[in-house]
Amino acid sequence: MIVETVVTTVTPAGKPHIAPMGVREADGAFLLMPFLPSSTYDNVISTGCAVVNFTTDARVFAGCVTGRREWPTVPAHRVPCVRLADTLAHAELRLASVHDDAQRPTLVMECVAHYTDAPFTGLNRAQAAVIEGAVLVSRLAMLPREKIEAEVAYLSIAIARTAGPREQQAWQWLMDAVNDFFARPAVAARVLNEEAL
Ligand SMILES: Cc1cc2nc3c(=O)[nH]c(=O)nc-3n(C[C@H](O)[C@H](O)[C@H](O)COP(=O)(O)O)c2cc1C
């Protein structure tokens, strides 16, 4: 199973970096698979650690893919890294090994400690829709317009019926990015790609 998380890392100078990432857990280790080039990859290779944050704050996912990468962090306990200040749980990780690949290496991360930070308050369809929408926005330049419009129409149903203020805000950021892309596809694609670097 792949779990959609927010991975926090730091540069060698200690500057936090935040990126949504799907992670797998296997035999007590977490597998991170960043597409290169990747700041997350560079930071893990440099510092040897990362934190996987389990959050239902869909704004972080939508924010990161629309250029809003600044979210409050606090120091991790057991590794020289940071975690999201507002997360339900987090796992503090140390690099165990790297499976090299020119496009998408696998970082095998040993779990040093796993913390519960807040209670899980239940499943929400709008949060899942925002995650799907964030993936869609990160692929705008690769998808046909009809597919984007069809997915937005479908995901909008869950937003309209079940979103709270956070999910509405997150969805608005995503829709602004989709509308910008359709208005000026060449410029929007370049901005999105630069943000992914
Ligand atoms: C739900 C979700 C899951 C993602 N999973 C991955 C992933 O597994 N690997 C990856 O490289 N990027 C993934 N992305 C895209 C990254 O968040 C984005 O490209 C980010 O900038 C990673 O690059 P960085 O390490 O340079 O920040 C995902 C995005 C979303 C919204």
Side-chain angles (χ1 to χ4, degrees), residues 4 17 19-22 33-35 38-40 65 69 104 131 134-135 196:
E4 305 304 343
H17 179 78
M21 219 159 263
M33 297 183 67
F35 288 101
S38 158
S39 301
T40 301
V65 299
R69 283 188 175 267
R104 200 179 187 192
I131 304 304
V135 172

Side-chain angles (χ1 to χ4, degrees), residues 58-59 62-63 66 126-134 136-137 148 151-160 163-178:
R59 294 175 307 172
T66 57
Q127 288 165 0
V130 170
I131 304 304
E132 287 303 317
L136 193 67
V137 163
I148 296 167
E151 294 217 4
V152 164
Y154 178 68
L155 295 170
S156 297
I157 299 168
I159 299 293
R166 286 180 169 194
E167 294 75 26
Q168 281 163 356
Q169 166 105 82
W171 187 250
Q172 191 57 53
W173 291 340
L174 296 175
M175 291 306 96
D176 290 347
V178 170

